[in-house]
Structures are given as C-alpha cells and as structure tokens.
Amino acid sequence: MRLVIARCSVDYTGRLNAHLPLATRLLVHKGDGSLLVHSDGGSYKPLNWMSPPCGLVVEAPDEDAAAAGVVEQWRVTHAKSGDALLVRVYEILHDSSHELGIDPGLQKDGVEADLQRLLAEQVELIAEGVSLVRREFPTAIGPVDLLLRDPAGGTIAVEIKRRGDIDGVEQLTRYLELLGRDPHLAPVRGVFAAQEIKPQAKILAADRGIRCVTLDYDAMKGVASGVPTLF
C-alpha cells in the first residue's frame, strides 16, 4: 500500500463528472489497484475513489499543467467502465509504501456462535435446574441451537439470535413442531433468546406459547454485572 500526502486537484470523468480543487489530501493506492482520495475530515469516507479492476499510470504533465505547477499526474482508469480519475500532483509532502500482507478478516465478538457457547455454559439463565442435552440438536429442517432438560424431565428448545425478530420466532415454531413429534422429547417448550428482541417478535412468541429471554452478553462474558430479563 502506498500512502502519499500531496497538494493536488482531482477530476473524475465517466458516468458522473466531479472536480476537487487544489488542496492537501491523502492519496491511498492499495495493492488491489484501487485509489482513494481522503481529506482530514469525513471520517472513513473518501472524497473520491476508483475501485478495482483498475490501473494507475503516472504521466508527465503537459506544458500548461507544468506551467501551473503540476509535477506529475496520476491517471487511474477502470478496466470495465472506462471511468477515469485524474490526480494532478503539485507537491508531495509525504510518500511511503508498506507491505501489509494477507488480512485475516474481521472477527466479530458477540455473534450468535459466541452467544450459543456462553449460554450452553450458563443454562441456568434459561431456568433454574435445567441441564444441557446438546448444542445444535438436529432436526429435519436444521439444528436447534440448544436442547435442554428441566428437572421434571421436560424438554426445552432454545433458539438464539443477536437481534430477535419475527423470522426467528417462526423458525423456532417449526423446530418445536418437529421435535414435538418425537415421543422421547415431547412435550417440548420453546425459549427465544437474544440480545435484543423486537416488540412484534415478543407478541408473536407469546401467542405461540414461547418464552423470550433477553441476554446480557457482557454479563455472560463476565465484563459487567447483570441478569437476563424475562418477558
């Protein structure tokens, strides 16, 4: 990746024409060929950019541009659309290149797999005295997240979401119907657990006889105190 801080002007031509007048900006030329033009504001969003597939060619300025103070021109052309980004560089204040290597990608904390693992270790948050039968208990239409057994021998199926909506309640309803056909499991009660549950989902769950549990992810990790709220 090449990082250049330069006094420059930028012109974009193609389906949309745009012009950035002379100012000091950060030019980011990435290994995938893309070029991003940033100012010292606007958060992460560039002022203008060219996405791959594209190629960058450094050109010498013509007489008029050179007379105006341009020292070099960057022409970035999109390989498919032909759109072009022309950067006229008047002065380079910083120029560095860095080999970043292969990025492993974003690893999200608090995804459904994390919630499932933590809740499997803390099943008492669902009900007192319950025990874990299995995570990812299989059904004909996919696995239910947790299958629990209560002290009386009853079965509890738990569906876990980060944000609980109507689709999640419908999904658990289908699991309950299938699990209830197994005489070794029936009767099966349902619990819909999520960090946040939409009001419409709570209403539908109540209508289906499904209990909702709001999970405090930080508390489950031991980051902060708190207990799930039952509805």
Side-chain angles (χ1 to χ4, degrees), residues 108-120 135-136 143-146 158-165 167-168 171 175 192-196 215 217 220:
K108 295 183 179 179
D109 185 32
V111 297
E112 290 171 10
D114 295 325
L115 288 169
Q116 184 191 113
R117 174 181 55 79
L118 288 169
L119 192 55
R135 292 173 58 182
E136 300 286 339
V144 66
D145 289 323
L146 300 180
V158 184
E159 184 63 23
I160 303 168
K161 301 292 184 184
R162 289 187 65 231
R163 292 180 176 83
D165 55 21
D167 289 343
Q171 182 181 1
Y175 289 151
F192 189 52
Q195 289 179 269
E196 176 188 349
L215 301 173
Y217 179 67
M220 293 169 70

Side-chain angles (χ1 to χ4, degrees), residues 36-118:
L36 299 93
V37 181
H38 284 275
S39 66
D40 196 15
S43 186
Y44 65 90
K45 188 176 181 180
L47 298 171
N48 215 325
W49 68 94
M50 183 67 74
S51 301
C54 58
L56 184 150
V57 177
V58 179
E59 304 173 342
D62 59 26
E63 290 185 6
D64 291 340
V70 177
V71 296
E72 64 181 37
Q73 295 183 163
W74 296 10
R75 187 179 300 276
V76 187
T77 306
H78 196 274
K80 294 182 178 179
S81 67
D83 289 10
L85 194 67
L86 179 63
V87 180
R88 294 182 175 90
V89 178
Y90 290 77
E91 181 183 6
I92 293 179
L93 306 175
H94 171 86
D95 189 347
S96 63
S97 297
H98 308 270
E99 181 58 50
L100 303 185
I102 299 174
D103 192 276
L106 180 66
Q107 297 179 351
K108 295 183 179 179
D109 185 32
V111 297
E112 290 171 10
D114 295 325
L115 288 169
Q116 184 191 113
R117 174 181 55 79
L118 288 169

Side-chain angles (χ1 to χ4, degrees), residues 5-17:
I5 298 176
R7 293 181 62 250
C8 62
S9 65
V10 183
D11 288 280
Y12 192 104
T13 56
R15 290 166 293 181
L16 175 68
N17 294 337

Side-chain angles (χ1 to χ4, degrees), residues 130-147:
V130 299
S131 59
L132 177 67
V133 176
R134 178 173 170 177
R135 292 173 58 182
E136 300 286 339
F137 189 88
T139 76
I141 58 173
V144 66
D145 289 323
L146 300 180
L147 195 72

